């Protein structure tokens, strides 16, 4: 019965979007693919398409129990939209689950929700997260309050287990 927003933009990482989408649906959640509003379909790093159900400007944090931000290079595009940052910040501020994997930490940094938090990510953006006020650790999954972060596709089972546990 939970409602989960999964964010999408071009250059998303296939497994980091589709694995959580399918895993959350398997648990009975309603998953809404939320895009920036720049298109109705986005393509992954390798050209795999995802159609969006809604634009970030047309939804509210009140509509969801969690927001999941997949990695790849899509987060560098996602963080350029105030509507995306408002959705992520709003969900975080309401104590809802905000989960990010790989390069998705960029969105958390731009949403200004990392100060004093302990997180992980792909090592390539470690410095960005530290500069945003976070403590960075190299672990498959880190839970700090309502914030859940992971590093790479191999961490997806642990990442999804923690999201499911937080929503239970």
């Amino acid at each position: 019965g939970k409602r989960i927003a999964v964010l999408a933009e071009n250059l998303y990482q296939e497994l980091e979007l589709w694995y959580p989408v399918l895993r959350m649906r398997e648990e009975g959640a309603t998953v809404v693919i939320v895009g920036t509003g720049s298109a109705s379909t986005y393509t992954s790093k390798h050209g795999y398409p995802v159609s969006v159900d809604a634009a970030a400007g047309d939804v509210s944090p009140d509509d969801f129990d969690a927001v999941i931000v997949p990695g790849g290079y899509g987060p560098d595009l996602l963080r350029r939209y105030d509507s995306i940052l408002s959705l992520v910040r709003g969900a975080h501020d309401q104590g809802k689950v905000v989960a990010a994997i790989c390069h998705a930490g960029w969105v958390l940094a731009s949403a200004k929700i990392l100060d004093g938090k302990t997180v992980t990510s792909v090592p390539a953006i470690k410095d960005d997260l530290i500069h945003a006020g976070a403590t960075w650790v190299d672990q498959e999954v880190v839970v700090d309050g309502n914030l859940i972060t992971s590093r790479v596709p191999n961490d997806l089972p642990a990442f999804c287990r923690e999201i499911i546990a937080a929503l239970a």
Side-chain angles (χ1 to χ4, degrees):
K2 301 292 183 182
R3 287 183 49 87
I4 301 170
V6 176
L7 305 186
E9 237 300 351
N10 286 321
L11 302 175
Y12 72 88
Q13 205 284 342
E14 295 84 354
L15 287 172
E16 293 170 357
L17 184 141
W18 286 106
Y19 189 109
V21 165
L22 297 173
R23 191 66 193 88
M24 298 306 124
R25 285 179 180 162
E26 182 180 48
E27 290 294 321
T30 299
V31 177
V32 179
I33 307 296
V34 177
T36 59
S38 64
S40 60
T41 301
Y42 299 106
T43 54
S44 71
K45 290 168 37 177
H46 300 288
Y48 194 80
V50 62
S51 296
V52 298
D53 302 307
D58 297 332
V59 298
S60 161
D62 299 335
D63 299 333
F64 303 104
D65 300 291
V67 176
I68 299 174
V69 190
Y73 296 112
D76 188 37
L77 301 174
L78 287 167
R79 68 181 175 165
R80 300 174 193 193
Y81 290 83
D82 288 337
S83 57
I84 291 288
L85 301 179
S86 293
L87 177 63
V88 170
R89 187 180 314 107
H92 175 268
D93 291 351
Q94 290 179 20
K96 296 179 177 182
V97 172
V98 174
I101 186 166
C102 194
H103 286 79
W106 277 335
V107 174
L108 307 183
S110 293
K112 296 179 176 34
I113 62 170
L114 291 180
D115 195 35
K117 298 288 188 174
T118 300
V119 299
T120 194
S121 67
V122 63
I125 68 165
K126 170 184 174 180
D127 291 343
D128 301 313
L129 303 184
I130 292 169
H131 293 307
T135 298
W136 187 89
V137 295
D138 187 11
Q139 297 174 9
E140 72 176 350
V141 65
V142 175
V143 178
D144 188 340
N146 58 322
L147 194 61
I148 301 170
T149 54
S150 275
R151 302 171 300 188
V152 293
N154 285 346
D155 299 336
L156 281 163
F159 182 61
C160 288
R161 271 194 307 273
E162 291 296 342
I163 295 168
I164 292 163
L167 290 171

